[in-house]
Amino acid sequence: MASLKSLSTNLDFRKAKHLLRRASFNFTKEQLNTFVGMSATQAVTSLISVVPNALPEPFDPLPTEAPDGFWTSSTELPNSFTGQSRKRGVVTAWWWYNAMKQISLKHKLSFFFHTCFTVGKDDGAGAATYFYDYIRLMDFYAFGNIKTLAKKITLDNAMLDYLDNTQNNKNNPNENYAREYLELFTILKGEQIGAGNYTNYTEIDIQQAAKVFSGFKIQADRSAIDPDTGIPMGFVNKDQHDTNNKTFTAAFNNQVITGKSIDAEIFDELNDFVEMVFAQPETAKAYCRRLYRYFVKSKWDEEVETDIITPLAQIMINNDYEVLPVVEALLSSEHFYDADDSDATDEIIGSIIKSPMQMLSEICSMFSVTFPNPSTDALNYYYNFFFRFLHNSYFKAAGMDFYNPDDVAGYPAYYQEPDFDRYWFSSNTIIGRYKLIESLIEGKNTIGSGNIYASLDTVLFVKNKIANALDPNLLVTEMADLLYPEAIDADRITYFKTYLVDEGFPDYYWTGVWNQYLSTNDDVTVKTRLDALVIAMCNAAEFQLM
């Protein structure tokens, strides 16, 4: 039976790989070796330490003659700057760089919250600085309280613009945000049981929620600061807020939220509404299902629903919606490591198709890809490497418009039945995925064109990370152990070995070539073969999975 009981054995290399892939974007051999021998609880605990960002804020290196620089801390109005689309891309470059400099759950959970409280940065979220504040809000609550975040997000300037709530007034209600808040952000619909009745709420509840949300406005100059987070927020225009009582349906026990007319009390009204939504057990279950799909597997049966989702939801309720107790229980459990039944190879490990961001991050960290330092070479990092190559070329070709999903529901991989994560791998995205490793090795954009100002040195990777590089069989085996969730069989080893040793040639051919490189430092021959091997292994089916 599915079990949330903590894993009783220490992590071996296979389980360490599983945890590090699922819980971090930074995936290195050194960290894997650190995890081996730890208990699951110890390993998870090590991933929740709070570490300052390597980059305090993003930097726009353009225009070259007078860069806008640290524009997010400027006193100028955010929308007064040109190049807003580029600047939103720069914000994602800042976020990704920080994720790559930490071995932590923080950025995994921050992105998880983006999938819950979606803002499409290029689809109506306003100025790039507002999007920067939104990202900081996700980061701030990554180890925090989901219910509190569900209150704060309502006053986020990017969200106010994105879902039109800044236009929601007492005499001209706009229900867009209220609808998505219930349908997508919190309790979710449930099964429709009648006209306008979705089990977990009704159309009347949406109308009443819109009244609660009325009068909240964008603070364009970012002068309103949330005292809890220090992050700019919107404000309430009490003259445009519906001060009448809001009466909800039986879905919420016919609760009445008393209308308020004073600024501080209007925030109390918002607080009462969120507390009402989060008092429903189905809200906790909705978040636990999302966490399960994000960290464990996209589909599950009734046994998992009963033995994993339901008790996780109770942990969440018992901890008043703190996210860490739930995630720690899940990532430390026998179930997470597929150790709760007699077959430890059939369900969890290797069951998720990597997102384009996971694939990029794993390759860059495991292979020690060199790319420009944003602190000393901002133009090449932010603009040429990240914005032109990764943001505009790779991510879009791979089916992940970065931080800009096509729909307010988010990326289909996290919600769209029946395929879920299979959406990452299709005839439309496969070329983008396959061209990534090729581009990094060649140092040029093979999806489009141009220098990417980054490089992956396959020879140094093998020299520094592979202990038995002289033996082509052991070299392939060690690489597969690092790159793949599961070990490969003899046939796959033989196949990959052909990139090092031509068919029909003895293994000592490669031994001689590698020894020659070690003695002369001439890497021409070994580089050609190792480049081909790394491309083949990273584009193999096994590497698409985690």
Side-chain angles (χ1 to χ4, degrees), residues 361-516:
S361 302
E362 279 193 30
I363 288 175
C364 286
S365 53
M366 177 57 72
F367 288 99
S368 302
V369 170
T370 58
F371 49 80
N373 185 325
S375 297
T376 58
D377 192 4
L379 180 65
N380 282 328
Y381 173 72
Y382 282 110
Y383 186 62
N384 291 316
F385 171 63
F386 198 94
F387 186 67
R388 295 183 65 193
F389 171 52
L390 294 180
H391 183 278
N392 287 355
S393 193
Y394 164 66
F395 276 123
K396 290 184 178 180
M400 188 182 200
D401 197 352
F402 200 36
Y403 272 101
N404 193 51
D406 290 338
D407 191 274
V408 66
Y411 297 102
Y414 301 116
Y415 75 90
Q416 188 63 65
E417 297 183 75
D419 290 336
F420 295 109
D421 51 295
R422 292 188 180 186
Y423 277 98
W424 294 133
F425 195 86
S426 70
S427 58
N428 295 325
T429 64
I430 191 171
I431 298 301
R433 292 174 76 93
Y434 283 0
K435 289 287 186 179
L436 173 63
I437 187 69
E438 183 180 297
S439 296
L440 292 170
I441 287 175
E442 294 186 18
K444 64 181 182 181
N445 186 352
T446 62
I447 302 167
S449 61
N451 187 343
I452 66 171
Y453 298 88
S455 63
L456 190 165
D457 192 323
T458 60
V459 180
L460 282 181
F461 167 74
V462 171
K463 183 179 180 180
N464 295 333
K465 308 291 185 182
I466 305 301
N468 296 289
L470 284 168
D471 184 326
N473 298 286
L474 294 178
L475 188 158
V476 168
T477 300
E478 284 188 47
M479 280 186 56
D481 284 345
L482 288 173
L483 298 179
Y484 301 156
E486 302 284 15
I488 57 175
D489 61 23
D491 287 342
R492 290 298 275 167
I493 294 171
T494 299
Y495 166 73
F496 287 125
K497 188 176 71 171
T498 61
Y499 288 94
L500 301 177
V501 181
D502 292 335
E503 192 170 354
F505 280 67
D507 289 351
Y508 62 73
Y509 168 79
W510 170 256
T511 305
V513 169
W514 187 253
N515 271 326
Q516 184 178 23

Side-chain angles (χ1 to χ4, degrees), residues 34 41 47 115 125 133 200 207 233 239 243 314 369-370 447 512:
T34 299
T41 302
L47 290 169
T115 71
D133 293 337
N200 293 337
Q207 295 163 13
M233 58 184 279
D239 294 331
T243 60
Q314 192 58 54
V369 170
T370 58
I447 302 167

Side-chain angles (χ1 to χ4, degrees), residues 2 140 257 305 312 322 473 488 532:
F140 187 91
I257 292 179
E305 181 72 19
L312 283 176
E322 291 290 330
N473 298 286
I488 57 175

Side-chain angles (χ1 to χ4, degrees), residues 97-313:
Y97 185 85
N98 286 325
M100 292 300 293
K101 292 300 176 180
Q102 297 180 7
I103 298 176
S104 171
L105 255 169
K106 174 187 170 182
H107 285 84
K108 274 280 172 132
L109 282 169
S110 174
F111 194 79
F112 168 74
F113 282 139
H114 166 61
T115 71
C116 295
F117 302 98
T118 301
V119 162
K121 67 177 173 55
D122 299 316
D123 192 25
T129 311
Y130 303 147
F131 173 66
Y132 167 64
D133 293 337
Y134 163 82
I135 289 285
R136 289 198 294 156
L137 188 64
M138 300 301 105
D139 281 359
F140 187 91
Y141 285 102
F143 289 160
N145 191 283
I146 302 175
K147 182 166 62 175
T148 305
L149 174 57
K151 297 172 186 176
K152 303 293 187 183
I153 194 66
T154 301
L155 273 294
D156 176 75
N157 284 314
M159 182 64 80
L160 282 164
D161 207 353
Y162 179 60
L163 289 179
D164 309 317
N165 202 63
T166 194
Q167 301 170 23
N168 178 19
N169 305 319
K170 63 180 180 181
N171 295 322
N172 187 23
N174 186 309
E175 297 175 0
N176 195 21
Y177 178 66
R179 182 175 302 279
E180 308 302 11
Y181 192 90
L182 293 174
E183 180 178 342
L184 301 176
F185 295 172
T186 57
I187 196 169
L188 310 187
K189 266 189 173 183
E191 183 180 350
Q192 184 162 353
I193 57 176
N197 187 337
Y198 312 109
T199 302
N200 293 337
Y201 61 87
T202 72
E203 285 292 322
I204 292 173
D205 296 314
I206 291 173
Q207 295 163 13
Q208 297 302 300
K211 294 177 181 179
V212 172
F213 295 142
S214 62
F216 291 118
K217 305 296 177 187
I218 290 172
Q219 183 71 54
D221 64 1
R222 299 169 75 225
S223 60
I225 305 297
D226 178 16
D228 298 321
T229 66
I231 299 171
M233 58 184 279
F235 73 102
V236 60
N237 183 331
K238 62 185 179 183
D239 294 331
Q240 296 186 12
H241 178 71
D242 190 318
T243 60
N244 295 313
N245 292 348
K246 289 82 178 174
T247 303
F248 292 84
T249 68
F252 295 102
N253 301 313
N254 301 305
Q255 184 165 337
V256 177
I257 292 179
T258 304
K260 305 296 173 85
S261 58
I262 301 172
D263 289 3
E265 293 182 351
I266 292 172
F267 286 109
D268 291 339
E269 192 178 326
L270 170 63
N271 182 75
D272 291 344
F273 169 76
V274 175
E275 291 288 341
M276 177 188 76
V277 173
F278 279 73
Q280 311 305 309
E282 192 57 37
T283 301
K285 286 187 177 181
Y287 284 115
C288 289
R289 292 182 188 116
R290 286 174 180 257
L291 284 164
Y292 188 90
R293 183 170 291 120
Y294 187 77
F295 282 109
V296 185
K297 197 176 181 182
S298 63
K299 297 180 182 179
W300 57 89
D301 57 20
E302 284 301 318
E303 178 183 319
V304 170
E305 181 72 19
T306 300
D307 296 337
I308 304 296
I309 303 296
T310 299
L312 283 176

Side-chain angles (χ1 to χ4, degrees), residues 58-61 69 71 85-95 381-383 386-387 391:
F59 184 93
D60 186 358
W71 89 98
S85 178
R86 180 187 71 249
K87 284 179 169 60
R88 286 188 289 267
V90 164
V91 171
T92 65
W94 163 81
W95 183 88
Y381 173 72
Y382 282 110
Y383 186 62
F386 198 94
F387 186 67
H391 183 278

